[in-house]
Amino acid sequence: MTDTKTALLRSAEHAVRTKGFDGFSYADLAADVGIRKASIHHHFPAKADLSLAVMQQYHDRFEALCAQIDATPASGAARLRAMADQYRAALGGGDTLCLCVAFSISADRVRVDVRAAMAAFRAMMVDWLTAAFARGRDDGTIAQVSHPREDATAMLALLEGAQLAARAQRDPTRFDAALRPLLARLG
Amino acid sequence: MTDTKTALLRSAEHAVRTKGFDGFSYADLAADVGIRKASIHHHFPAKADLSLAVMQQYHDRFEALCAQIDATPASGAARLRAMADQYRAALGGGDTLCLCVAFSISADRVRVDVRAAMAAFRAMMVDWLTAAFARGRDDGTIAQVSHPREDATAMLALLEGAQLAARAQRDPTRFDAALRPLLARLG
DNA sequence: GTCTATACACAGATAGAC
DNA sequence: GTCTATCTGTGTATAGAC
């Protein structure tokens, strides 16, 4: 992959996560990367192609992160904490959201394959969180686990909602506050 | 307030909640309400004026809803359930979000007074939820309440995140799934 | 209050030279 | 691969007639 393409993907991911799918333009990326906007079309013919590439790259990165955590002997609770830390770090100064959240608002204007990629990402995250909750129930490090899958679904919603709360007021500590009750269950 | 203005506010709220601040235009509203887009400027000179009016109307409606629930002798748990039902109903077929969520993505492109209105709405909701959790702790209808304010912050994030999950896949039952662990705490 | 007409900026995208 | 130039559509907003 060329440097330009890498730079474009990087710039586009940041743009989507701070401004949303409808909020960023090829002009923004061009200014950021330092080429003309027509040149972007050489790498990504349409905005949807770029969006899909960004989504796939994001998916791969999180998949690798999950695998990395799974390779450790960490407890169920420690795994959830590690993932929560990741979402917290993704917030930056309170201005960047999870890519899925950023795309969700424009869900009816993104191409069908981009929507499919969003669904795939969510499914992967819920599956991983489900396994972590099950592990935590078995090793006794997570309190009050009844249905790992439901807990996982709720936790993903909580993570995304907490990011929204932080962004709405550009205050990352809102994320911490929203996570506190969940983290309190982790021994 | 004239019928046209009422219709515009109604149409605009739906537009923002389905397409976001950046995703709807005066052309959409004009087609929906049945007037020309230039006529909208007579009622709301700028898009920011319209956004503010929609936000204020939304705030007033929820404030009235909170007051209505408070006027009943309902338990803490019953109050939370009533509010959760409201967010669930607001989902429609899985395509409409809370107005705050819809605006949040475009937070850096909305006028400062609209952002202030978003913050005011969130503050009101957290305050109300805090009181409901405190009531539930005292009347014994909500399990494991330690810090009502933290529980309230987490619940607002969960409600909004659950709406996002439902919208991402146009499936309202995702909302129900994400809420289940919380609702299980309510006696 | 609503209309037609229009201004002006910017969006995504394409053609073709270099 | 990147550029200039350009197309076409759409966005918010305004002027002025009715």
mmCIF file of all heavy atoms in Angstrom, chain B residues 115-134:
data_model
loop_
_atom_site.group_PDB
_atom_site.id
_atom_site.type_symbol
_atom_site.label_atom_id
_atom_site.label_comp_id
_atom_site.label_asym_id
_atom_site.label_seq_id
_atom_site.Cartn_x
_atom_site.Cartn_y
_atom_site.Cartn_z
ATOM 1 N N ARG B 115 -25.691 23.759 21.044
ATOM 2 C CA ARG B 115 -24.885 22.875 21.905
ATOM 3 C C ARG B 115 -25.262 23.059 23.364
ATOM 4 O O ARG B 115 -25.345 22.090 24.120
ATOM 5 C CB ARG B 115 -23.391 23.187 21.720
ATOM 6 C CG ARG B 115 -22.666 22.252 20.801
ATOM 7 C CD ARG B 115 -21.199 22.117 21.128
ATOM 8 N NE ARG B 115 -20.489 23.374 21.256
ATOM 9 C CZ ARG B 115 -20.045 24.092 20.237
ATOM 10 N NH1 ARG B 115 -20.252 23.688 19.002
ATOM 11 N NH2 ARG B 115 -19.391 25.215 20.439
ATOM 12 N N ALA B 116 -25.519 24.287 23.754
ATOM 13 C CA ALA B 116 -25.915 24.551 25.140
ATOM 14 C C ALA B 116 -27.250 23.869 25.441
ATOM 15 O O ALA B 116 -27.448 23.320 26.536
ATOM 16 C CB ALA B 116 -26.010 26.057 25.387
ATOM 17 N N ALA B 117 -28.149 23.892 24.474
ATOM 18 C CA ALA B 117 -29.458 23.247 24.671
ATOM 19 C C ALA B 117 -29.297 21.733 24.810
ATOM 20 O O ALA B 117 -30.027 21.092 25.574
ATOM 21 C CB ALA B 117 -30.388 23.594 23.511
ATOM 22 N N MET B 118 -28.347 21.170 24.064
ATOM 23 C CA MET B 118 -28.078 19.738 24.195
ATOM 24 C C MET B 118 -27.590 19.420 25.596
ATOM 25 O O MET B 118 -28.021 18.439 26.220
ATOM 26 C CB MET B 118 -26.995 19.307 23.194
ATOM 27 C CG MET B 118 -27.445 19.228 21.754
ATOM 28 S SD MET B 118 -26.024 19.097 20.619
ATOM 29 C CE MET B 118 -25.071 17.798 21.406
ATOM 30 N N ALA B 119 -26.669 20.242 26.087
ATOM 31 C CA ALA B 119 -26.129 20.028 27.427
ATOM 32 C C ALA B 119 -27.227 20.148 28.476
ATOM 33 O O ALA B 119 -27.278 19.372 29.435
ATOM 34 C CB ALA B 119 -25.003 21.021 27.706
ATOM 35 N N ALA B 120 -28.116 21.121 28.280
ATOM 36 C CA ALA B 120 -29.201 21.333 29.234
ATOM 37 C C ALA B 120 -30.137 20.125 29.262
ATOM 38 O O ALA B 120 -30.595 19.700 30.327
ATOM 39 C CB ALA B 120 -29.982 22.597 28.868
ATOM 40 N N PHE B 121 -30.397 19.584 28.098
ATOM 41 C CA PHE B 121 -31.267 18.402 28.036
ATOM 42 C C PHE B 121 -30.651 17.229 28.796
ATOM 43 O O PHE B 121 -31.302 16.582 29.617
ATOM 44 C CB PHE B 121 -31.517 18.004 26.579
ATOM 45 C CG PHE B 121 -32.361 16.775 26.430
ATOM 46 C CD1 PHE B 121 -33.751 16.866 26.444
ATOM 47 C CD2 PHE B 121 -31.784 15.523 26.308
ATOM 48 C CE1 PHE B 121 -34.541 15.732 26.321
ATOM 49 C CE2 PHE B 121 -32.564 14.383 26.192
ATOM 50 C CZ PHE B 121 -33.942 14.491 26.198
ATOM 51 N N ARG B 122 -29.369 16.976 28.524
ATOM 52 C CA ARG B 122 -28.696 15.877 29.202
ATOM 53 C C ARG B 122 -28.683 16.081 30.718
ATOM 54 O O ARG B 122 -28.900 15.139 31.485
ATOM 55 C CB ARG B 122 -27.249 15.764 28.726
ATOM 56 C CG ARG B 122 -27.105 15.064 27.414
ATOM 57 C CD ARG B 122 -25.637 15.065 26.977
ATOM 58 N NE ARG B 122 -25.518 14.536 25.642
ATOM 59 C CZ ARG B 122 -25.512 13.237 25.365
ATOM 60 N NH1 ARG B 122 -25.591 12.358 26.342
ATOM 61 N NH2 ARG B 122 -25.440 12.835 24.121
ATOM 62 N N ALA B 123 -28.430 17.290 31.136
ATOM 63 C CA ALA B 123 -28.382 17.580 32.570
ATOM 64 C C ALA B 123 -29.736 17.300 33.211
ATOM 65 O O ALA B 123 -29.820 16.691 34.290
ATOM 66 C CB ALA B 123 -27.972 19.031 32.795
ATOM 67 N N MET B 124 -30.789 17.710 32.512
ATOM 68 C CA MET B 124 -32.130 17.463 33.035
ATOM 69 C C MET B 124 -32.394 15.967 33.174
ATOM 70 O O MET B 124 -32.888 15.498 34.203
ATOM 71 C CB MET B 124 -33.176 18.083 32.107
ATOM 72 C CG MET B 124 -34.608 17.761 32.509
ATOM 73 S SD MET B 124 -35.817 18.240 31.248
ATOM 74 C CE MET B 124 -35.398 17.114 29.911
ATOM 75 N N MET B 125 -32.026 15.216 32.140
ATOM 76 C CA MET B 125 -32.273 13.780 32.173
ATOM 77 C C MET B 125 -31.478 13.097 33.282
ATOM 78 O O MET B 125 -32.005 12.233 34.000
ATOM 79 C CB MET B 125 -31.909 13.152 30.826
ATOM 80 C CG MET B 125 -32.897 13.419 29.715
ATOM 81 S SD MET B 125 -34.569 12.839 30.097
ATOM 82 C CE MET B 125 -34.200 11.141 30.542
ATOM 83 N N VAL B 126 -30.212 13.470 33.427
ATOM 84 C CA VAL B 126 -29.393 12.845 34.470
ATOM 85 C C VAL B 126 -29.951 13.178 35.857
ATOM 86 O O VAL B 126 -30.017 12.304 36.728
ATOM 87 C CB VAL B 126 -27.912 13.262 34.350
ATOM 88 C CG1 VAL B 126 -27.133 12.780 35.566
ATOM 89 C CG2 VAL B 126 -27.295 12.688 33.069
ATOM 90 N N ASP B 127 -30.376 14.410 36.029
ATOM 91 C CA ASP B 127 -30.956 14.795 37.321
ATOM 92 C C ASP B 127 -32.195 13.954 37.634
ATOM 93 O O ASP B 127 -32.369 13.457 38.746
ATOM 94 C CB ASP B 127 -31.338 16.290 37.313
ATOM 95 C CG ASP B 127 -30.114 17.190 37.435
ATOM 96 O OD1 ASP B 127 -29.021 16.684 37.773
ATOM 97 O OD2 ASP B 127 -30.248 18.406 37.188
ATOM 98 N N TRP B 128 -33.034 13.841 36.646
ATOM 99 C CA TRP B 128 -34.278 13.091 36.867
ATOM 100 C C TRP B 128 -33.986 11.610 37.149
ATOM 101 O O TRP B 128 -34.554 11.016 38.062
ATOM 102 C CB TRP B 128 -35.201 13.238 35.654
ATOM 103 C CG TRP B 128 -36.555 12.642 35.876
ATOM 104 C CD1 TRP B 128 -37.649 13.257 36.424
ATOM 105 C CD2 TRP B 128 -36.948 11.288 35.600
ATOM 106 N NE1 TRP B 128 -38.697 12.376 36.495
ATOM 107 C CE2 TRP B 128 -38.299 11.157 36.002
ATOM 108 C CE3 TRP B 128 -36.291 10.183 35.056
ATOM 109 C CZ2 TRP B 128 -39.016 9.971 35.868
ATOM 110 C CZ3 TRP B 128 -37.004 8.985 34.924
ATOM 111 C CH2 TRP B 128 -38.349 8.886 35.332
ATOM 112 N N LEU B 129 -33.093 11.042 36.364
ATOM 113 C CA LEU B 129 -32.739 9.629 36.571
ATOM 114 C C LEU B 129 -32.088 9.427 37.936
ATOM 115 O O LEU B 129 -32.312 8.404 38.600
ATOM 116 C CB LEU B 129 -31.796 9.145 35.456
ATOM 117 C CG LEU B 129 -32.405 9.000 34.052
ATOM 118 C CD1 LEU B 129 -31.308 8.791 33.006
ATOM 119 C CD2 LEU B 129 -33.406 7.839 34.002
ATOM 120 N N THR B 130 -31.287 10.387 38.349
ATOM 121 C CA THR B 130 -30.646 10.309 39.664
ATOM 122 C C THR B 130 -31.698 10.219 40.772
ATOM 123 O O THR B 130 -31.611 9.379 41.678
ATOM 124 C CB THR B 130 -29.753 11.538 39.902
ATOM 125 O OG1 THR B 130 -28.747 11.587 38.895
ATOM 126 C CG2 THR B 130 -29.092 11.472 41.274
ATOM 127 N N ALA B 131 -32.704 11.078 40.656
ATOM 128 C CA ALA B 131 -33.773 11.074 41.658
ATOM 129 C C ALA B 131 -34.524 9.736 41.640
ATOM 130 O O ALA B 131 -34.892 9.199 42.691
ATOM 131 C CB ALA B 131 -34.730 12.232 41.404
ATOM 132 N N ALA B 132 -34.728 9.199 40.436
ATOM 133 C CA ALA B 132 -35.450 7.926 40.325
ATOM 134 C C ALA B 132 -34.640 6.788 40.947
ATOM 135 O O ALA B 132 -35.193 5.922 41.635
ATOM 136 C CB ALA B 132 -35.769 7.632 38.868
ATOM 137 N N PHE B 133 -33.319 6.793 40.712
ATOM 138 C CA PHE B 133 -32.470 5.754 41.318
ATOM 139 C C PHE B 133 -32.465 5.893 42.841
ATOM 140 O O PHE B 133 -32.504 4.878 43.561
ATOM 141 C CB PHE B 133 -31.037 5.828 40.769
ATOM 142 C CG PHE B 133 -30.807 4.990 39.542
ATOM 143 C CD1 PHE B 133 -30.733 5.574 38.287
ATOM 144 C CD2 PHE B 133 -30.669 3.605 39.642
ATOM 145 C CE1 PHE B 133 -30.526 4.796 37.145
ATOM 146 C CE2 PHE B 133 -30.461 2.821 38.508
ATOM 147 C CZ PHE B 133 -30.397 3.424 37.256
ATOM 148 N N ALA B 134 -32.400 7.118 43.323
ATOM 149 C CA ALA B 134 -32.400 7.337 44.774
ATOM 150 C C ALA B 134 -33.702 6.829 45.388
ATOM 151 O O ALA B 134 -33.703 6.169 46.437
ATOM 152 C CB ALA B 134 -32.204 8.825 45.076
#
